[in-house]
Every structure is written in C-alpha cells, then in structure tokens.
Amino acid sequence: MYNQSLDKGPLKDDGRDQDEDRRIEFEHNVLAGYTVEPKDWMPEGYRKTLIRQMSQHAHSEVIGMLPEGDWILRAPTLKRKAILLAKVQDEGGHGLYLYSATETLGVSRDLLYEDLLHGRAKYSSIFNYPTLSWADVGVIGWLVDGAAIMNQIPLTQCSYGPYARAMVRICKEESFHQRQGFELLNEMMNGSEKQKEMVQNSVNRWWWPTVMMFGPEDKDSVHSKESRTWGIKRVTNDELRQNFIDVTVPQAEILGVDLPDPDIRWNEERGHYDFGEVDWTEFWRVVSGHGPCNRDRIEAKRKAWEEGVWVREAIMAHALNEKVVDRHG
Amino acid sequence: MGNDSSNKEVEIPLYEVFIRSANGLEHRHVGSLHAADAEMAIMNARDVYVRRNEGVSIWVVPSACITASDPSSKEMLFGPSRDKIYRHPTFYNLPEGVRNI
Amino acid sequence: MTIAREETYDAHLLSFVLRLADSALIASQRMAEWCGVAPMLEEDIALSNVALDLLGQSRHLFTYASDLEGGSRSEDDFAFLRDPHEYLNYIIAELPNGDFAQSCTKSFLFSSFAKTVWSSLLDANDSRLRDIAAKSLKETNYHVEHFSSWFIRLGDGTDTSRQKILEGLDYVWPYTNEFFDDDSILISLEGVLKMKTNTLWTKWIEGVTNVFASARIDLPSTPDFICSGKYGIHSEHLGHILAEMQYLQRAYPGGRW
C-alpha cells in the first residue's frame, strides 16, 4: 500500500539537487508541526531513522514478552495470572502495531524480524536481564513500564503519522501496566518478611538497568540532534531520565523500598533529585549483546520462528488450494 | 495439496484493518496485520484490534489492493476546490429576520 | 455410615463444577505456554485470548464451587492448594502441547466438547450454571471456530502439516473417550443438569465430523482407551503442571499476593 518511491529527484536547470530544496521544505514543515504520512516525500535519512527506531521499539515489545511471560505459569493467584497474561498479550499487540506502522515505510515485517533473529537489530537493553522472582513482575511493571511510558508519551506527538497513531493506542492500553506493578509490590510489602526481602532484592537488581533504559547521556547520543530536527524524538534522554527519577523516588518511599543509589538526594537549587553515576560500561556491554540474557532471548525467538516455518508454509499452501477450488469448483 | 519444495519462505500477505466502533459510525482504519487469507485476517483482527470492546464490525482489505493518490498531485487533486467558496453556506448573506433557511 | 440425600447431591454437584473448573484452568495453563512462542505474532495474541477466556471460566466456576461449600475455600485455595488426586479435569486438558499441530488438534477436540457441554447446560435446573454456561458458550464458540480453522488449514496445507496433524490426532484422539464413558456423576445429577452422555456424544461427533471432512481427514474409530481424570486419576503430566503452578503458594504459605 505505502510503497515509498526511492528514486532520486531530478536535477533542476541551475544544477542544484532538487532533493535539497525538498529537504529544507520538509524540515520547515515538520518544525511547523505538520504530520508526515507514508506517501509523502521524506529525506532518506528520516526514513532510515524511523525504520531503525520503530523496529527497535517493536522488537523490544516482542522480546519483552519473554521475561514476564516466564512467570505466567507460576503466578501466585488466578487474578494475578489473568492480569499478567493480559499484559504480556498487550506487549505482543504493541509489537504488532509497531511493526505494522514500520511496514508503511516500505519494509516487510519478515525482513525486520530476520534482522532481530540474526542479531543485526537492537532492542531495549532492559530485557536482557533475568526475571528471578515473582517480585520482578511487579518491579517490571512499576519501574520498567514507568520508564517506558515516560519515553512513549512524547512519541504520540512524533512527526510521522503512523508511528504517532500507534503510540496513542499503545499509551492508552499501557496505562494499567504500571499501576498493576505498583499494586502487586505494595501487596507484597504488606506481607511476610520473606516477601519484603523479595521485593527489595528485585528493586536492587532492576534499578540501574531501568535508569539505563533512557539510553546514553545526551553528550554521547549520536542520533539526538537529527531526531529532534525531524520531530521524531522531542525530549532528550537526560531530560527523560531526570523526570523518571523525580517521579519515582517519592513512589519508592511510599512503597517502603530503598533505591540502591546512595547519591540520590533532593537538590533544592535545581528543583530535581541528584543521582549517582550510571555504569555506562555495563550498558554498552549489554547493548553489544553481552547482557546476561541476550543469547537466551534471541534463541527463544529463533527457535519459535523456525518451528513455525512449516505452519506458515501450510497456511499459504491452503490459501492457494482454496483459491483453486473457488475458481474451478 | 501443496508440496514443501519452496526454499525461501513466502511472506504472509498484509491486510489493512477497518473497525466500526458502534453502529451509526463509519469504519475507521486502525492498522494492519498479516494473514494467509481474508477469513484468517478477520479472525486475527478480532484478536489484535478488538481486545477491549473497540468494535462491532470489521473490514479487512489486502494492502496490495489499495490504490493511494500521489502526494505530488495534491495541488491538482485538492487545490481547485479551495476557492469554490460558494459551496459553503457562509458565502451567502441573508437579510435580518429570515428564519429556517 | 448413611449419608443424607441432600449431602450426596451437593457433593456430586461440587464434583461436576470442579471438573469443569479444573478442565478450564489446566487447559488455560497449557494454552499460556504458547504465549510468546507461537508460529506468528498474530497467533501469540489469539492464543493468549483463548487462555484468558478459559482462565475466566475457571474463576467463575471456582467461585460457584466455593459457594456450594459454604465459602470455606477461595478460588485460589481450589487452584493452588489441592493435590493432583483432588483435581477432576479431563486428562486431555493436561496433555503436553507438543507441536502446533498437536496443540490445535487437542484444542479443537476439547473446545468442541466444551461447546456441547455449555449448550446443554443452558437448560440446566441451576441458574448459576446456566449463567456461567451462557457466558462461556460465546467464548467457546470462538475457540471452536479458531481451532477447527487451524485443523482444516493444517490438514489441508502441505504434506508436512498434514502429517503433523495426523500424528497429533493419533496422540490426542484416544483421550476423547473420557468425555463419554461411564459417568456416575452425570447420572446422579440428571435431574439438575438434564445432560446425558449419549446426547453429548451425538452433538459432539456431528460437529467434529464436519470439520474432519473439510480437512479431508478420516474420522478415527471410537477409542477403547482408559482414562479417568474426572475421578481424580490422572496422567503423570498433571503433577508437573501443578508443581510449577502452585510453587509460590506452597513455598510461602499465607503470603499476600
């Protein structure tokens, strides 16, 4: 439907590249708040940036099904089982919306997915950490989804129509994800000592990886400036990270857990919480494929994909059989 | 019956999905999904796009069957209607006191 | 010891309600194993929907079971604190998923049976069961539609998929015997449930036969297999399912979740 013309524009009489004029007009329009739609002309860099960012986002959703999905079978009550199942299902749905939006840029889902399975595509570093206890399900809801929502809300205003629309739908559906996490933890914090320990242990493991979720500091972020000019990303990594910490610290106090950062304290002058130095070495190791679960995650998805080959072949063959029957029968 | 001779997997086609959220409203485009045929596309649409009671009717259309207008023809297609202001009721002045018109 | 007539009646009804509740819960647990690893993303979402429907059905039934007992056990007590021999589900629900073909075959046969049960219960002399049946029937109709369409697609797909469907069928089919063999509970509850195994069988086989025809697969002969999950004697698989499912409740008794 949305095939993108990749032909280069013709040169004008004065020898100037017509694309350059179009690019200036494009950036002007985006700055003025115009929404870009699939068939509109767009700079190749814009298209590529979108494909990269949107498919990474989609991959994160489908990979994100695994760590929590691992606890569906062990959920401690039927209510929690239903909530978790619905949540993990939502993540699959969100992956699907995002792949669908990315496909409007003229790439196929299968190709994007192959990149993921062959380790050529990235996804959120957070899902390469293991879920080791039931409290992790709550902490993922509270911290990880809390961070994700913070990242995602500005994207509902992004300049590319299909991405923005997918994000509106996703943000609406995700609104229960963080709340269920906090509620779950709060329940456990009112339980036995063992349960409280379980929650604290989980917070200790997930805090720093969550803080890293917003990506490298602005000074080290390669794509930040372009993404801003093009209206793809309107708030910077550091701004988002600071917002996240500002809203989360008081929540931790209510919950009664300690955040494992001794440098967290209110800074009256800045009007923000100060926090400690992120271990960026760890971040880059995880991003480069050396996190505790990178290999397991990809392997689980690769195995499922390969075991599904005969199924996908069969349904295409069946659709063809039916067509033949329609025509002749 | 088909055979298994294909080396490269064929991609499952893309369908565009339209949902009517309630009777009295038109179907609206909500996104797309993959399905081997229309029947499967309807089922998948039900699971993917109406998980929260969002609709009462579903249309699916193979994405390949949609022809879209070319944005570079925007001026030609949509420009000319802009100055036909006599098509809008506000173009006409009526004397004070005229009612029901 | 003589048991009062009333009490026998309640015990049987409780067993019947738990049979339905346990079957739905264990089928849901198995279905949830597919979450995240189905053959295509659309199917991940579809199977989670089915798992959620089944889980919802089991919760309604456990709530009814709890009321029948006078409220001494909660839905979670039923689910997490009973041992395998106290579970009364049909064995077919606890069978391993195997590959996608086996899973679809199992779910097609099981949901077709559930459909006949819910339809029949619409006429039961028990308003709670009628209400649960009416709600569950809508969901189950969709499950039947979903899995029969997979059964047909794979049966009439490629040589490989057909072979896998046949193998799955071979494994699963004998367990359908349990739906229709001797059932003292149904007999004793006939006045309430108005349900007879031979009527269930007639309806079930009619629906199933049509789907087999569309998939161009011959209906296997009636099995002679012994299985009696509905009386608490299970396959070896159930113990493992419960060990996983009940782990937190067993390891941290009285915890708050």
Side-chain angles (χ1 to χ4, degrees), chain A residues 52-68:
Chain A
R52 192 191 63 241
Q53 188 179 326
M54 290 164 72
S55 60
Q56 279 178 12
H57 198 160
H59 298 328
S60 302
E61 296 282 353
V62 298
I63 291 284
M65 295 172 82
L66 297 173
E68 284 176 284

mmCIF file with all atom_site columns, all heavy atoms in Angstrom, chain A residues 52-68:
data_model
loop_
_atom_site.group_PDB
_atom_site.id
_atom_site.type_symbol
_atom_site.label_atom_id
_atom_site.label_alt_id
_atom_site.label_comp_id
_atom_site.label_asym_id
_atom_site.label_entity_id
_atom_site.label_seq_id
_atom_site.pdbx_PDB_ins_code
_atom_site.Cartn_x
_atom_site.Cartn_y
_atom_site.Cartn_z
_atom_site.occupancy
_atom_site.B_iso_or_equiv
_atom_site.pdbx_formal_charge
_atom_site.auth_seq_id
_atom_site.auth_comp_id
_atom_site.auth_asym_id
_atom_site.auth_atom_id
_atom_site.pdbx_PDB_model_num
ATOM 1   N N   . ARG A 1 52 ? 14.746 2.356   11.804 1.00 0.00 ? 52 ARG A N   1
ATOM 2   C CA  . ARG A 1 52 ? 15.593 1.849   12.874 1.00 0.00 ? 52 ARG A CA  1
ATOM 3   C C   . ARG A 1 52 ? 14.892 1.969   14.225 1.00 0.00 ? 52 ARG A C   1
ATOM 4   O O   . ARG A 1 52 ? 14.747 0.996   14.961 1.00 0.00 ? 52 ARG A O   1
ATOM 5   C CB  . ARG A 1 52 ? 16.937 2.587   12.902 1.00 0.00 ? 52 ARG A CB  1
ATOM 6   C CG  . ARG A 1 52 ? 17.974 1.905   13.797 1.00 0.00 ? 52 ARG A CG  1
ATOM 7   C CD  . ARG A 1 52 ? 19.209 2.769   14.046 1.00 0.00 ? 52 ARG A CD  1
ATOM 8   N NE  . ARG A 1 52 ? 18.840 3.982   14.747 1.00 0.00 ? 52 ARG A NE  1
ATOM 9   C CZ  . ARG A 1 52 ? 19.022 5.210   14.277 1.00 0.00 ? 52 ARG A CZ  1
ATOM 10  N NH1 . ARG A 1 52 ? 19.581 5.412   13.106 1.00 0.00 ? 52 ARG A NH1 1
ATOM 11  N NH2 . ARG A 1 52 ? 18.630 6.253   14.981 1.00 0.00 ? 52 ARG A NH2 1
ATOM 12  N N   . GLN A 1 53 ? 14.391 3.168   14.499 1.00 0.00 ? 53 GLN A N   1
ATOM 13  C CA  . GLN A 1 53 ? 13.806 3.397   15.819 1.00 0.00 ? 53 GLN A CA  1
ATOM 14  C C   . GLN A 1 53 ? 12.508 2.621   16.024 1.00 0.00 ? 53 GLN A C   1
ATOM 15  O O   . GLN A 1 53 ? 12.291 2.004   17.063 1.00 0.00 ? 53 GLN A O   1
ATOM 16  C CB  . GLN A 1 53 ? 13.541 4.898   16.012 1.00 0.00 ? 53 GLN A CB  1
ATOM 17  C CG  . GLN A 1 53 ? 13.109 5.204   17.447 1.00 0.00 ? 53 GLN A CG  1
ATOM 18  C CD  . GLN A 1 53 ? 12.860 6.686   17.676 1.00 0.00 ? 53 GLN A CD  1
ATOM 19  O OE1 . GLN A 1 53 ? 13.537 7.534   17.092 1.00 0.00 ? 53 GLN A OE1 1
ATOM 20  N NE2 . GLN A 1 53 ? 11.884 6.992   18.508 1.00 0.00 ? 53 GLN A NE2 1
ATOM 21  N N   . MET A 1 54 ? 11.651 2.613   15.004 1.00 0.00 ? 54 MET A N   1
ATOM 22  C CA  . MET A 1 54 ? 10.361 1.933   15.154 1.00 0.00 ? 54 MET A CA  1
ATOM 23  C C   . MET A 1 54 ? 10.530 0.418   15.242 1.00 0.00 ? 54 MET A C   1
ATOM 24  O O   . MET A 1 54 ? 9.840  -0.243  16.018 1.00 0.00 ? 54 MET A O   1
ATOM 25  C CB  . MET A 1 54 ? 9.430  2.298   13.996 1.00 0.00 ? 54 MET A CB  1
ATOM 26  C CG  . MET A 1 54 ? 8.952  3.736   14.057 1.00 0.00 ? 54 MET A CG  1
ATOM 27  S SD  . MET A 1 54 ? 8.251  4.314   12.478 1.00 0.00 ? 54 MET A SD  1
ATOM 28  C CE  . MET A 1 54 ? 6.721  3.400   12.454 1.00 0.00 ? 54 MET A CE  1
ATOM 29  N N   . SER A 1 55 ? 11.442 -0.124  14.435 1.00 0.00 ? 55 SER A N   1
ATOM 30  C CA  . SER A 1 55 ? 11.602 -1.586  14.501 1.00 0.00 ? 55 SER A CA  1
ATOM 31  C C   . SER A 1 55 ? 12.272 -1.987  15.813 1.00 0.00 ? 55 SER A C   1
ATOM 32  O O   . SER A 1 55 ? 11.918 -3.001  16.410 1.00 0.00 ? 55 SER A O   1
ATOM 33  C CB  . SER A 1 55 ? 12.375 -2.118  13.285 1.00 0.00 ? 55 SER A CB  1
ATOM 34  O OG  . SER A 1 55 ? 13.651 -1.542  13.227 1.00 0.00 ? 55 SER A OG  1
ATOM 35  N N   . GLN A 1 56 ? 13.213 -1.158  16.300 1.00 0.00 ? 56 GLN A N   1
ATOM 36  C CA  . GLN A 1 56 ? 13.804 -1.454  17.623 1.00 0.00 ? 56 GLN A CA  1
ATOM 37  C C   . GLN A 1 56 ? 12.732 -1.459  18.698 1.00 0.00 ? 56 GLN A C   1
ATOM 38  O O   . GLN A 1 56 ? 12.713 -2.304  19.588 1.00 0.00 ? 56 GLN A O   1
ATOM 39  C CB  . GLN A 1 56 ? 14.850 -0.395  17.988 1.00 0.00 ? 56 GLN A CB  1
ATOM 40  C CG  . GLN A 1 56 ? 16.197 -0.623  17.337 1.00 0.00 ? 56 GLN A CG  1
ATOM 41  C CD  . GLN A 1 56 ? 17.203 0.472   17.695 1.00 0.00 ? 56 GLN A CD  1
ATOM 42  O OE1 . GLN A 1 56 ? 16.980 1.283   18.587 1.00 0.00 ? 56 GLN A OE1 1
ATOM 43  N NE2 . GLN A 1 56 ? 18.316 0.489   16.984 1.00 0.00 ? 56 GLN A NE2 1
ATOM 44  N N   . HIS A 1 57 ? 11.829 -0.519  18.562 1.00 0.00 ? 57 HIS A N   1
ATOM 45  C CA  . HIS A 1 57 ? 10.733 -0.413  19.516 1.00 0.00 ? 57 HIS A CA  1
ATOM 46  C C   . HIS A 1 57 ? 9.842  -1.669  19.437 1.00 0.00 ? 57 HIS A C   1
ATOM 47  O O   . HIS A 1 57 ? 9.477  -2.270  20.456 1.00 0.00 ? 57 HIS A O   1
ATOM 48  C CB  . HIS A 1 57 ? 9.934  0.849   19.176 1.00 0.00 ? 57 HIS A CB  1
ATOM 49  C CG  . HIS A 1 57 ? 9.067  1.340   20.277 1.00 0.00 ? 57 HIS A CG  1
ATOM 50  N ND1 . HIS A 1 57 ? 8.599  2.619   20.350 1.00 0.00 ? 57 HIS A ND1 1
ATOM 51  C CD2 . HIS A 1 57 ? 8.560  0.709   21.359 1.00 0.00 ? 57 HIS A CD2 1
ATOM 52  C CE1 . HIS A 1 57 ? 7.849  2.763   21.427 1.00 0.00 ? 57 HIS A CE1 1
ATOM 53  N NE2 . HIS A 1 57 ? 7.814  1.614   22.053 1.00 0.00 ? 57 HIS A NE2 1
ATOM 54  N N   . ALA A 1 58 ? 9.537  -2.084  18.204 1.00 0.00 ? 58 ALA A N   1
ATOM 55  C CA  . ALA A 1 58 ? 8.709  -3.289  18.005 1.00 0.00 ? 58 ALA A CA  1
ATOM 56  C C   . ALA A 1 58 ? 9.424  -4.526  18.564 1.00 0.00 ? 58 ALA A C   1
ATOM 57  O O   . ALA A 1 58 ? 8.835  -5.334  19.284 1.00 0.00 ? 58 ALA A O   1
ATOM 58  C CB  . ALA A 1 58 ? 8.406  -3.479  16.520 1.00 0.00 ? 58 ALA A CB  1
ATOM 59  N N   . HIS A 1 59 ? 10.724 -4.648  18.244 1.00 0.00 ? 59 HIS A N   1
ATOM 60  C CA  . HIS A 1 59 ? 11.496 -5.791  18.762 1.00 0.00 ? 59 HIS A CA  1
ATOM 61  C C   . HIS A 1 59 ? 11.458 -5.807  20.295 1.00 0.00 ? 59 HIS A C   1
ATOM 62  O O   . HIS A 1 59 ? 11.331 -6.851  20.911 1.00 0.00 ? 59 HIS A O   1
ATOM 63  C CB  . HIS A 1 59 ? 12.967 -5.718  18.332 1.00 0.00 ? 59 HIS A CB  1
ATOM 64  C CG  . HIS A 1 59 ? 13.182 -5.762  16.838 1.00 0.00 ? 59 HIS A CG  1
ATOM 65  N ND1 . HIS A 1 59 ? 12.368 -6.453  15.993 1.00 0.00 ? 59 HIS A ND1 1
ATOM 66  C CD2 . HIS A 1 59 ? 14.153 -5.214  16.061 1.00 0.00 ? 59 HIS A CD2 1
ATOM 67  C CE1 . HIS A 1 59 ? 12.819 -6.312  14.738 1.00 0.00 ? 59 HIS A CE1 1
ATOM 68  N NE2 . HIS A 1 59 ? 13.895 -5.568  14.757 1.00 0.00 ? 59 HIS A NE2 1
ATOM 69  N N   . SER A 1 60 ? 11.591 -4.632  20.900 1.00 0.00 ? 60 SER A N   1
ATOM 70  C CA  . SER A 1 60 ? 11.593 -4.564  22.365 1.00 0.00 ? 60 SER A CA  1
ATOM 71  C C   . SER A 1 60 ? 10.291 -5.111  22.927 1.00 0.00 ? 60 SER A C   1
ATOM 72  O O   . SER A 1 60 ? 10.281 -5.790  23.952 1.00 0.00 ? 60 SER A O   1
ATOM 73  C CB  . SER A 1 60 ? 11.761 -3.118  22.842 1.00 0.00 ? 60 SER A CB  1
ATOM 74  O OG  . SER A 1 60 ? 12.953 -2.579  22.329 1.00 0.00 ? 60 SER A OG  1
ATOM 75  N N   . GLU A 1 61 ? 9.188  -4.804  22.260 1.00 0.00 ? 61 GLU A N   1
ATOM 76  C CA  . GLU A 1 61 ? 7.893  -5.292  22.752 1.00 0.00 ? 61 GLU A CA  1
ATOM 77  C C   . GLU A 1 61 ? 7.834  -6.818  22.682 1.00 0.00 ? 61 GLU A C   1
ATOM 78  O O   . GLU A 1 61 ? 7.424  -7.475  23.644 1.00 0.00 ? 61 GLU A O   1
ATOM 79  C CB  . GLU A 1 61 ? 6.741  -4.700  21.934 1.00 0.00 ? 61 GLU A CB  1
ATOM 80  C CG  . GLU A 1 61 ? 6.608  -3.184  22.048 1.00 0.00 ? 61 GLU A CG  1
ATOM 81  C CD  . GLU A 1 61 ? 5.944  -2.723  23.352 1.00 0.00 ? 61 GLU A CD  1
ATOM 82  O OE1 . GLU A 1 61 ? 5.470  -3.575  24.117 1.00 0.00 ? 61 GLU A OE1 1
ATOM 83  O OE2 . GLU A 1 61 ? 5.917  -1.501  23.590 1.00 0.00 ? 61 GLU A OE2 1
ATOM 84  N N   . VAL A 1 62 ? 8.233  -7.384  21.536 1.00 0.00 ? 62 VAL A N   1
ATOM 85  C CA  . VAL A 1 62 ? 8.078  -8.846  21.426 1.00 0.00 ? 62 VAL A CA  1
ATOM 86  C C   . VAL A 1 62 ? 9.121  -9.600  22.263 1.00 0.00 ? 62 VAL A C   1
ATOM 87  O O   . VAL A 1 62 ? 8.827  -10.650 22.817 1.00 0.00 ? 62 VAL A O   1
ATOM 88  C CB  . VAL A 1 62 ? 8.059  -9.357  19.961 1.00 0.00 ? 62 VAL A CB  1
ATOM 89  C CG1 . VAL A 1 62 ? 6.881  -8.774  19.202 1.00 0.00 ? 62 VAL A CG1 1
ATOM 90  C CG2 . VAL A 1 62 ? 9.343  -9.096  19.236 1.00 0.00 ? 62 VAL A CG2 1
ATOM 91  N N   . ILE A 1 63 ? 10.330 -9.037  22.368 1.00 0.00 ? 63 ILE A N   1
ATOM 92  C CA  . ILE A 1 63 ? 11.309 -9.672  23.255 1.00 0.00 ? 63 ILE A CA  1
ATOM 93  C C   . ILE A 1 63 ? 10.854 -9.509  24.703 1.00 0.00 ? 63 ILE A C   1
ATOM 94  O O   . ILE A 1 63 ? 10.991 -10.406 25.531 1.00 0.00 ? 63 ILE A O   1
ATOM 95  C CB  . ILE A 1 63 ? 12.716 -9.050  23.065 1.00 0.00 ? 63 ILE A CB  1
ATOM 96  C CG1 . ILE A 1 63 ? 13.292 -9.414  21.701 1.00 0.00 ? 63 ILE A CG1 1
ATOM 97  C CG2 . ILE A 1 63 ? 13.657 -9.467  24.187 1.00 0.00 ? 63 ILE A CG2 1
ATOM 98  C CD1 . ILE A 1 63 ? 13.823 -10.822 21.564 1.00 0.00 ? 63 ILE A CD1 1
ATOM 99  N N   . GLY A 1 64 ? 10.246 -8.363  24.979 1.00 0.00 ? 64 GLY A N   1
ATOM 100 C CA  . GLY A 1 64 ? 9.757  -8.076  26.333 1.00 0.00 ? 64 GLY A CA  1
ATOM 101 C C   . GLY A 1 64 ? 8.685  -9.046  26.801 1.00 0.00 ? 64 GLY A C   1
ATOM 102 O O   . GLY A 1 64 ? 8.385  -9.124  27.996 1.00 0.00 ? 64 GLY A O   1
ATOM 103 N N   . MET A 1 65 ? 8.079  -9.789  25.872 1.00 0.00 ? 65 MET A N   1
ATOM 104 C CA  . MET A 1 65 ? 7.087  -10.795 26.274 1.00 0.00 ? 65 MET A CA  1
ATOM 105 C C   . MET A 1 65 ? 7.752  -11.935 27.053 1.00 0.00 ? 65 MET A C   1
ATOM 106 O O   . MET A 1 65 ? 7.101  -12.600 27.863 1.00 0.00 ? 65 MET A O   1
ATOM 107 C CB  . MET A 1 65 ? 6.405  -11.408 25.046 1.00 0.00 ? 65 MET A CB  1
ATOM 108 C CG  . MET A 1 65 ? 5.572  -10.452 24.229 1.00 0.00 ? 65 MET A CG  1
ATOM 109 S SD  . MET A 1 65 ? 5.005  -11.226 22.684 1.00 0.00 ? 65 MET A SD  1
ATOM 110 C CE  . MET A 1 65 ? 3.573  -12.144 23.287 1.00 0.00 ? 65 MET A CE  1
ATOM 111 N N   . LEU A 1 66 ? 9.034  -12.169 26.784 1.00 0.00 ? 66 LEU A N   1
ATOM 112 C CA  . LEU A 1 66 ? 9.674  -13.371 27.336 1.00 0.00 ? 66 LEU A CA  1
ATOM 113 C C   . LEU A 1 66 ? 9.941  -13.326 28.837 1.00 0.00 ? 66 LEU A C   1
ATOM 114 O O   . LEU A 1 66 ? 9.542  -14.244 29.554 1.00 0.00 ? 66 LEU A O   1
ATOM 115 C CB  . LEU A 1 66 ? 10.957 -13.686 26.563 1.00 0.00 ? 66 LEU A CB  1
ATOM 116 C CG  . LEU A 1 66 ? 10.760 -14.017 25.075 1.00 0.00 ? 66 LEU A CG  1
ATOM 117 C CD1 . LEU A 1 66 ? 12.104 -14.137 24.367 1.00 0.00 ? 66 LEU A CD1 1
ATOM 118 C CD2 . LEU A 1 66 ? 9.956  -15.293 24.907 1.00 0.00 ? 66 LEU A CD2 1
ATOM 119 N N   . PRO A 1 67 ? 10.645 -12.261 29.320 1.00 0.00 ? 67 PRO A N   1
ATOM 120 C CA  . PRO A 1 67 ? 10.967 -12.289 30.759 1.00 0.00 ? 67 PRO A CA  1
ATOM 121 C C   . PRO A 1 67 ? 9.735  -12.364 31.650 1.00 0.00 ? 67 PRO A C   1
ATOM 122 O O   . PRO A 1 67 ? 9.720  -13.135 32.621 1.00 0.00 ? 67 PRO A O   1
ATOM 123 C CB  . PRO A 1 67 ? 11.738 -10.984 30.988 1.00 0.00 ? 67 PRO A CB  1
ATOM 124 C CG  . PRO A 1 67 ? 11.618 -10.178 29.751 1.00 0.00 ? 67 PRO A CG  1
ATOM 125 C CD  . PRO A 1 67 ? 11.259 -11.118 28.650 1.00 0.00 ? 67 PRO A CD  1
ATOM 126 N N   . GLU A 1 68 ? 8.697  -11.619 31.343 1.00 0.00 ? 68 GLU A N   1
ATOM 127 C CA  . GLU A 1 68 ? 7.491  -11.678 32.165 1.00 0.00 ? 68 GLU A CA  1
ATOM 128 C C   . GLU A 1 68 ? 6.686  -12.925 31.864 1.00 0.00 ? 68 GLU A C   1
ATOM 129 O O   . GLU A 1 68 ? 6.079  -13.526 32.754 1.00 0.00 ? 68 GLU A O   1
ATOM 130 C CB  . GLU A 1 68 ? 6.624  -10.451 31.909 1.00 0.00 ? 68 GLU A CB  1
ATOM 131 C CG  . GLU A 1 68 ? 7.138  -9.211  32.572 1.00 0.00 ? 68 GLU A CG  1
ATOM 132 C CD  . GLU A 1 68 ? 6.267  -8.042  32.177 1.00 0.00 ? 68 GLU A CD  1
ATOM 133 O OE1 . GLU A 1 68 ? 6.401  -7.552  31.036 1.00 0.00 ? 68 GLU A OE1 1
ATOM 134 O OE2 . GLU A 1 68 ? 5.443  -7.644  33.000 1.00 0.00 ? 68 GLU A OE2 1
#
